[in-house]
Amino acid sequence: MKRVVILLFILVLISLANAQYIFDLNVKVIPKTLIAPPHQNTIIVNSDIINLGSNSNERIDIKLSYEIRDKNNEIIDARSSTLALQTSLSTSEVFNLPNDLKLGKYNVNVKVDYKDYSTLTYEEFYIEEKTFIGKLNYLINKKILDFLIYHCF
């Protein structure tokens, strides 16, 4: 029994050593809530990518893809770009959304591809009705968004 456990442990170590490219991908959507009607039609998607692979000192070209999907999984917007990554990378993408989006939950899917390796994650945002809390949230988010656009872009 001990030999089987040791053999399994060695096989796991070998497979981990052969897994060259692993990416940690964190995504944040700003603002989290848009107020309708009419809603603020701009969101910023911040992505932090970390190369956790065994060759993390090597510079590689990755494909970073974005998709915005509604609750029916229909694509609202999609784009991709090729970026150089060594150890880590932070990037922001601005999306101008259509004004006629319906109330509800939306997903921003973000995917990193390199050769046969990929990592996928998503972040949600919402379009809600104008209520007192909604108006307050809208004003706070608008000020944050205006600040970010003015000072970061």
Side-chain angles (χ1 to χ4, degrees), residues 57-103:
N57 291 327
E58 172 188 351
R59 192 177 106 160
I60 59 173
D61 289 331
I62 60 168
K63 180 180 176 185
L64 184 61
S65 305
Y66 299 89
E67 285 183 346
I68 298 177
R69 293 183 176 261
D70 65 12
K71 65 182 178 186
N72 298 320
N73 212 24
E74 297 290 324
I75 296 176
I76 306 299
D77 196 351
R79 63 181 76 159
S80 64
S81 59
T82 301
L83 302 167
L85 171 67
Q86 189 164 352
T87 55
S88 65
L89 173 69
S90 294
T91 183
S92 296
E93 193 76 27
V94 177
F95 289 88
N96 292 314
L97 303 172
N99 287 324
D100 60 350
L101 291 179
K102 296 181 175 143
L103 300 177

Side-chain angles (χ1 to χ4, degrees), residues 3-64:
R3 289 182 183 197
V4 172
V5 171
I6 292 172
L7 180 61
L8 286 173
F9 180 73
I10 291 171
L11 289 174
V12 167
L13 285 178
I14 290 171
S15 68
L16 287 176
N18 289 333
Q20 293 178 348
Y21 292 96
I22 302 168
F23 302 103
D24 181 29
L25 177 59
N26 295 308
V27 174
K28 179 145 178 87
V29 176
I30 301 171
K32 251 335 225 175
T33 303
L34 304 173
I35 303 302
H39 63 75
Q40 170 187 358
N41 64 349
T42 303
I43 62 169
I44 298 173
V45 180
N46 294 322
S47 303
D48 296 318
I49 308 157
I50 300 172
N51 182 0
L52 301 173
S54 60
N55 293 330
S56 62
N57 291 327
E58 172 188 351
R59 192 177 106 160
I60 59 173
D61 289 331
I62 60 168
K63 180 180 176 185
L64 184 61

